[in-house]
Amino acid sequence: MIPIKETFLSIQGEGYYAGQSSYFIRTQGCDIGCHWCDEPDSWSMNEGVNMSFNTLVHDIQKTNTQIIIFTGGEPLMHDLTSVSDNIRNYGYKLHLETSGAYPLSGQWDWITLSPKKIKPPLSEIYPFASELKIIIYNNNDFDWAIDQARKVNKSCLLYLQPEWSQIEKMKSKIFNFLSHNPRWKLSLQMHKYLNIK
Ligand code: SF4
């Protein structure tokens, strides 16, 4: 098994599936180093729990959710082939949230690609992105959004998501961008407004 920081049942707070009950598996380990990261405790590769697969599935089965979301940390720092195949055998829908900076492993029903400028995605992942989520922290991020959208497939959904501390500062610029780029939509971190995980 891969090192896991935590598992929990919550709602997806972001993107197309916002509001959907989901079971989260937060993997341990990330070397991207976003200065605004919500989960810096997930960075170390020397922590996390090596939960057995049977324990994990037993925990999932106590919930009624059908969606399992791998998040991080950066899940693709681990080979997810085995764990995703095994969970899929139980009939669950599997979602992945990734920066795309490491090789894609596992099979997924939905991939949220959230590229980071300091360690951009590998080119191989763009065709598989179901949604592209660009975090807006400053003005340069709008150009980054346009650049990244050129690389995904035509059916990929496009979201701008203001970094939590910058919402007031960036919201009028985001609204302006959305009005000129109708393929893009706004994603807000619903779980933070509800003060839940
Ligand atoms: S990629 Fe995600 S987990 Fe890693 S530093 Fe950035 S926001 Fe944090």
Side-chain angles (χ1 to χ4, degrees), residues 10-22 24 67 69 95 97 110 112 131 133 157 159-161 185-194 196-197:
S10 186
I11 57 161
Q12 170 60 282
E14 307 172 359
Y16 179 76
Y17 279 91
Q20 177 78 52
S21 173
S22 306
F24 289 80
I67 295 181
I69 301 177
H95 293 198
E97 297 181 336
W110 190 262
T112 301
E131 63 181 2
K133 182 176 69 185
L157 304 179
Y159 288 96
L160 293 187
Q161 182 171 293
K185 293 183 178 177
L186 176 65
S187 171
L188 295 173
Q189 293 176 291
M190 188 186 289
H191 53 295
K192 288 196 172 182
Y193 287 97
L194 297 173
I196 59 176
K197 270 183 184 285

Side-chain angles (χ1 to χ4, degrees), residues 155-184:
S155 62
C156 181
L157 304 179
L158 306 179
Y159 288 96
L160 293 187
Q161 182 171 293
E163 196 278 325
W164 184 250
S165 69
Q166 302 298 307
I167 292 177
E168 277 307 309
K169 185 176 164 193
M170 300 307 294
K171 67 181 181 185
S172 63
K173 292 173 183 170
I174 290 174
F175 293 159
N176 184 51
F177 181 95
L178 296 178
S179 72
H180 289 91
N181 297 278
R183 214 185 132 198
W184 288 83

